[in-house]
């Protein structure tokens, strides 16, 4: 390829990746539903979007390193404190039993339907055992299942990917060598590969722990240190043993997220942006390598394979994995309806398919297009059906708001009482002992002392909370907390408006939606409360009481709508208005 063609191809891949993610965001669908067909179409229409021609032999190693970065980011989101006994039992079963049954069933079905040799079918089965956080995560954000169910699926997706990557590498070497071998001949290499990945993960975690516990590096430099460490360790592990870098990457992320003192914040804009870009580039690049011709005789048989995996294999795996646990029938049902395939399946298929085909393995050329169809079909099926299925099974988290109120001044405690009387599950946090005592005395749930610190720490999420209201008397604290908490909760982060004449250090320049009308600043609310004003809940059945100021509206379905600088929501019959009395 000429230099101009390389420039054009790389530019197109980046534009298509980002453009597809923007479109998916606007359509409120998982990005993969847009990325895969866009990449496939681009590869069919032009030869410029061909990563194998653009990058040559570097394409496969770059894919492996990119997947390692994605899995490291997934590891950062795994909090061992939430990995409880019943959750752990289900996840472990999903991984070992799920990999065994999924791989075997996929191979047995692929041989007659796709006309594959035994070796190619076993290779396809090994590839399809994986799920992955790049697919499951966005779907769960869209569906909002119960917290326990979400934790199980996130852990499964994050841990099955490195296991599947190693399994795929072992099967590839066995098929390429031409000998079927026995179970014993596979257990030894698998153990060696696992040991290499674990050793690399321990070494990488030690390096990152020392680097991140030392002098503060700043967010950008700390991110580049993490990126360099993950790439270096994953590359070294892959040199020693194929695909062992994936295990090392997950373990490094898990260690950094759960070891104290590593100073990795919950909100990592630079790293998150990098991971999102890498995911987009990978899916565009890999799907562009699938030609329309290769799908001609693969499409319908592969849809039959998908039907078996979705309707038989996954429900069986979920039923056995949940056996003897306290998961509800609805949670078991949804667990059996969530197994999309993602980037690791695509990456391993693109790596191994061509190599086996060059060695003359019968049907190996069908591995990549079949994997592509499975990914598109499962992502589309689960992406479009997961939300209604979750609602039908009763495993969707309630739309009712559960706000966290940060602050303990008397008017804030009064606000907590009013919101609770409106039917909301309110949680409060305060730093001073007297304020915490007043919150307890009001009968409002008090967040444990470590909750707020955890929310600004490594990989933490404020599970179950739908928004944060920063209502302390310290404007700079509110502003800084808003900056640190945005992105850690599902809803928005709101803070009190500082006085117009405020000379705070950071207040005027930070994010966080500003609450209430311009004149209702923190000092003004305190002054009015001291003069006799109170926060009250009033059911809307006509005009609001004269002289009262609207702070929030609670809709009939429990959604909390605040008054902000953008204006206030229009009251509707049946709403509960939270007002500041005259």
């Amino acid at each position: 390829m000429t230099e101009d063609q390389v420039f054009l191809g790389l530019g197109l891949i980046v534009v298509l990746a980002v453009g597809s993610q923007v479109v998916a965001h606007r359509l409120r669908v998982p990005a993969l539903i847009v990325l895969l067909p866009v990449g496939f179409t681009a590869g069919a229409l032009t030869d410029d979007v061909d990563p194998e021609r653009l990058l040559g032999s570097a394409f496969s190693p770059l894919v492996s390193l990119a997947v390692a970065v994605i899995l490291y980011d997934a590891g950062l989101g795994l909090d061992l404190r939430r990995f409880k006994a019943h959750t752990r039992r289900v996840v472990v079963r999903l991984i070992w039993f799920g990999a065994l049954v999924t791989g075997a069933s996929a191979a047995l079905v692929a041989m007659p339907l796709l006309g594959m040799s035994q070796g190619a079918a076993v290779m396809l089965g090994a590839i399809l055992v994986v799920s992955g956080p790049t697919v499951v995560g966005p779907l769960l954000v869209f569906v909002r299942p119960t917290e326990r169910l979400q934790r199980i699926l996130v852990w499964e997706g994050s841990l099955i990917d490195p296991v599947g990557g190693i399994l795929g590498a072992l099967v590839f070497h066995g098929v390429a060598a031409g000998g079927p071998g026995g179970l014993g001949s596979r257990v030894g290499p698998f153990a060696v590969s696992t040991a290499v990945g674990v050793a690399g993960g321990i070494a990488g975690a030690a390096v990152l722990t020392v680097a991140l516990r030392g002098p503060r590096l700043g967010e950008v430099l700390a991110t580049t240190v993490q990126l360099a460490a993950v790439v270096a360790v994953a590359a070294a592990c892959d040199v020693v043993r194929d695909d062992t870098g994936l295990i090392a990457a997950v373990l490094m992320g898990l260690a950094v997220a759960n070891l104290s003192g590593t100073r990795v914040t919950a909100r990592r804009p630079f790293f998150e942006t990098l991971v999102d870009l890498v995911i987009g580039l990978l899916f565009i690049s890999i799907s562009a390598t699938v030609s329309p011709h290769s799908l001609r005789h693969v499409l319908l048989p592969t849809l039959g394979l998908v039907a078996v995996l979705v309707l038989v294999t996954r429900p069986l795996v979920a039923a056995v994995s949940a056996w003897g646990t306290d998961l509800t029938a609805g949670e078991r049902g949804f667990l059996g309806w969530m197994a999309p395939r993602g980037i690791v399946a695509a990456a391993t298929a693109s790596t191994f398919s061509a190599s086996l085909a060059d060695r003359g393995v019968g049907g190996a050329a069908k591995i990549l297009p079949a994997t592509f169809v499975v990914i598109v079909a499962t992502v589309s099926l689960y992406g479009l059906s997961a939300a209604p299925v979750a609602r039908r099974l009763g495993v969707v988290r309630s739309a009712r708001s559960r706000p966290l109120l940060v602050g303990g001044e008397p008017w804030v405690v009064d606000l907590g009482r009013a919101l609770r009387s409106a039917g909301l599950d309110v949680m409060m946090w305060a730093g001073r002992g007297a304020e915490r005592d007043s919150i307890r005395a009001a009968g409002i749930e008090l967040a444990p002392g470590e909750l707020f610190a955890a929310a600004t720490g490594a990989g933490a999420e404020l599970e179950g909370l739908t928004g944060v209201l920063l209502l302390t008397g310290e404007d700079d604290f509110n502003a800084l907390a808003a900056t640190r908490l945005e992105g850690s909760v599902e809803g928005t982060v709101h803070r009190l408006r500082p006085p117009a004449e405020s000379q705070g250090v950071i207040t005027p320049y930070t994010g966080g939606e500003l609450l209430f009308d311009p004149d209702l600043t923190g000092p003004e609310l305190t002054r009015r409360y001291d003069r006799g004003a109170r926060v009250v809940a009033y059911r809307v059945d006509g005009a609001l009481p004269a002289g009262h100021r609207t702070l929030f509206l609670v809709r009939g379905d429990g959604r909390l709508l605040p008054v902000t600088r953008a204006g206030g929501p229009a009251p509707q019959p049946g709403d509960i208005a939270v007002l500041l009395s005259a």
Side-chain angles (χ1 to χ4, degrees), residues 144 462 465-468 485-494:
R144 298 183 71 251
L462 296 176
L465 298 176
T466 58
V468 178
L485 288 177
E486 283 184 315
S488 298
V489 293
E490 293 185 13
T492 55
V493 176
H494 292 82

Side-chain angles (χ1 to χ4, degrees), residues 392-574:
R392 183 67 179 268
L393 294 174
V395 295
V396 178
R397 268 178 280 176
S398 171
R400 185 171 294 276
S401 296
R402 186 175 184 240
L404 171 67
L405 278 60
V406 178
E409 295 190 16
W411 75 266
V412 180
V413 178
D414 208 19
L415 172 62
R417 289 194 193 96
L419 292 176
R420 194 179 60 171
S421 69
L424 299 187
D425 180 12
V426 178
M427 178 179 283
M428 295 188 66
W429 182 93
R432 297 186 178 93
E435 293 178 341
R436 297 175 70 85
D437 290 341
S438 66
I439 292 171
R440 292 190 188 97
I444 300 174
E445 182 180 1
L446 181 65
E450 65 272 10
L451 175 66
F452 191 72
T456 59
E461 292 180 356
L462 296 176
E463 293 194 39
L465 298 176
T466 58
V468 178
L469 304 175
L470 297 163
L471 307 172
T472 75
E474 298 291 337
D475 294 325
D476 282 330
F477 174 85
N478 293 339
L480 180 60
T483 302
R484 299 294 295 272
L485 288 177
E486 283 184 315
S488 298
V489 293
E490 293 185 13
T492 55
V493 176
H494 292 82
R495 62 185 174 95
L496 282 178
R497 182 187 304 272
E501 69 279 6
S502 172
Q503 298 298 319
V505 177
I506 60 173
T507 300
Y509 308 106
T510 56
E513 188 70 29
L514 296 178
L515 284 168
F516 311 143
D517 294 328
D519 62 318
L520 291 182
T521 62
E524 176 64 17
L525 286 164
T526 300
R527 186 186 67 82
R528 292 193 181 201
Y529 192 86
D530 291 341
R531 294 176 60 179
R534 291 295 180 263
V535 181
V536 297
Y538 177 84
R539 183 168 295 278
V540 178
D541 56 4
L544 296 177
H548 287 55
R549 304 287 295 275
T550 303
L551 303 180
F552 298 91
L553 284 179
V554 180
R555 296 294 193 201
D557 60 0
R559 287 180 297 125
L560 179 65
L561 305 178
V563 174
T564 67
R565 56 184 170 183
Q572 300 175 0

Side-chain angles (χ1 to χ4, degrees), residues 1 14 25 29 54 72 85 116 290 292 324 335 365 407 415 463 486 506:
M1 298 184 73
V14 173
H25 177 73
V29 297
L54 290 169
Y72 172 78
M116 287 182 168
V290 180
L335 201 61
L415 172 62
E463 293 194 39
E486 283 184 315
I506 60 173

